[in-house]
Amino acid sequence: MTKNSVTVLGLGLMGQALAGALVRAGHATTVWNRSPAKADALVAQGATRAGSVRDAVTASPLVIVCVTGADAVRQILDPVAGELGDRVLVNLSSGTSREARETAARHPGRYLDGAIMAAPPAIGTPEAAIVYSGARAAFDEHEQILRDLGTATFLGDDPALSALHETAVLGLMYGILNGFLHSAALLGAAGVPADSFLPFARAGIDTVAGWLPGYARQIDEGTYPALDATLDTHLAAIEHVVHESEDAAVDAALPALVRAAARRAVSAGHGGDSYASVIEQFRDKEPA
């Protein structure tokens, strides 16, 4: 049974997952891709292949674009800006918050920027977290369709919020991954396999995750009482990581960078505060 009409522009792995979820949910789904063959499997499932971007855009009141980067979004949409009219445009392409605002300025009133925090196989399930920001009325109008792609959360009227949240999560993710890789290299220098480190790595991550609610409250309140340990104590532990790395001939640049931020915080008078006080060292940077 057909529910609503929706168009998907861009059929990379994520675009195919988005269109497939919409087809399975019963929506009349029109698809377009520069390489038409990428639509073959979706057409076999019930999607309609558009012969041009213009045909794809005019086929539906809701247009979802998922391509690689803001430049690709502009190249696809700028020539058909007039056809978008009062259609809702949802941009699920990755990018920066500045790029999100620039795209929103070219498509005022009916624009939603989105960020997908999931891998393609999760799309269409509650495990796929997708955040949206921009025109609230546009989100409300098509919320049910968006929820068929995953767990949909509206962040606010500023279209940049989705990209900003995605970037923040990426920063956290790479911090965890690089910390694990550095630790594995340190242990590997002593002949310890990474696999045997996993139980201890998971326990350490769980411990830090348990600190986050308290740290978040401290950051929002601007006060940093030492709960788990003082920053002085944390700095002493970081020194051990730096020295151990140097002794094992493992690159110590990453823990040295962490140490430098902690040292600046101590110099600023936060030695007796919690580790959350280091955030002030990040905030002190002038924007580019």
Side-chain angles (χ1 to χ4, degrees), residues 174-271:
Y174 288 117
I176 293 170
L177 287 175
N178 283 313
F180 173 76
L181 295 177
H182 179 270
S183 297
L186 187 61
L187 288 165
V192 179
D195 185 71
S196 69
F197 176 53
L198 288 178
F200 306 103
R202 289 194 179 103
I205 291 171
D206 288 345
T207 296
V208 172
W211 294 343
L212 296 186
Y215 279 19
R217 284 193 298 273
Q218 291 183 5
I219 291 166
D220 290 341
E221 293 169 359
T223 59
Y224 310 106
L227 301 177
D228 52 273
T230 66
L231 181 56
D232 283 332
T233 300
H234 281 291
L235 179 55
I238 297 167
E239 295 279 9
H240 296 327
V241 181
V242 174
H243 297 153
E244 191 71 56
S245 301
E246 293 170 342
D247 291 345
V250 169
D251 190 335
L254 181 60
L257 182 66
V258 175
R259 179 180 63 182
R263 283 178 171 177
R264 291 196 304 271
V266 169
S267 296
H270 292 292

Side-chain angles (χ1 to χ4, degrees), residues 36-263:
K38 286 193 173 181
D40 289 349
L42 291 163
V43 171
Q45 296 170 37
T48 299
R49 189 197 327 257
S52 67
V53 176
R54 182 167 279 101
D55 290 344
V57 166
T58 57
S60 310
L62 174 63
V63 177
I64 296 173
V65 58
C66 184
V67 293
T68 304
D71 288 343
V73 173
R74 285 193 294 271
Q75 291 169 11
I76 292 169
L77 293 180
D78 283 0
V80 297
E83 278 73 20
L84 282 168
D86 62 353
R87 290 174 171 81
V88 170
L89 173 63
V90 179
N91 181 16
L92 294 180
S93 310
S94 292
T96 66
S97 56
R98 174 180 55 79
E99 290 169 337
R101 289 194 180 102
E102 291 172 350
T103 304
R106 289 195 299 275
H107 305 282
R110 303 281 282 167
Y111 177 79
L112 285 171
D113 201 82
I116 302 171
M117 301 184 188
I123 297 298
T125 74
E127 284 68 43
I130 308 178
V131 295
Y132 301 89
S133 55
R136 180 68 201 232
F139 178 82
D140 291 343
E141 181 180 348
H142 295 288
E143 181 176 359
Q144 186 51 60
I145 296 178
L146 299 178
R147 291 197 181 281
D148 286 333
L149 298 176
T151 300
T153 302
F154 183 77
L155 298 175
D157 295 332
D158 183 350
L161 286 173
S162 295
L164 191 57
H165 276 69
E166 180 181 32
T167 303
V169 170
L170 287 172
L172 177 64
M173 181 180 75
Y174 288 117
I176 293 170
L177 287 175
N178 283 313
F180 173 76
L181 295 177
H182 179 270
S183 297
L186 187 61
L187 288 165
V192 179
D195 185 71
S196 69
F197 176 53
L198 288 178
F200 306 103
R202 289 194 179 103
I205 291 171
D206 288 345
T207 296
V208 172
W211 294 343
L212 296 186
Y215 279 19
R217 284 193 298 273
Q218 291 183 5
I219 291 166
D220 290 341
E221 293 169 359
T223 59
Y224 310 106
L227 301 177
D228 52 273
T230 66
L231 181 56
D232 283 332
T233 300
H234 281 291
L235 179 55
I238 297 167
E239 295 279 9
H240 296 327
V241 181
V242 174
H243 297 153
E244 191 71 56
S245 301
E246 293 170 342
D247 291 345
V250 169
D251 190 335
L254 181 60
L257 182 66
V258 175
R259 179 180 63 182
R263 283 178 171 177

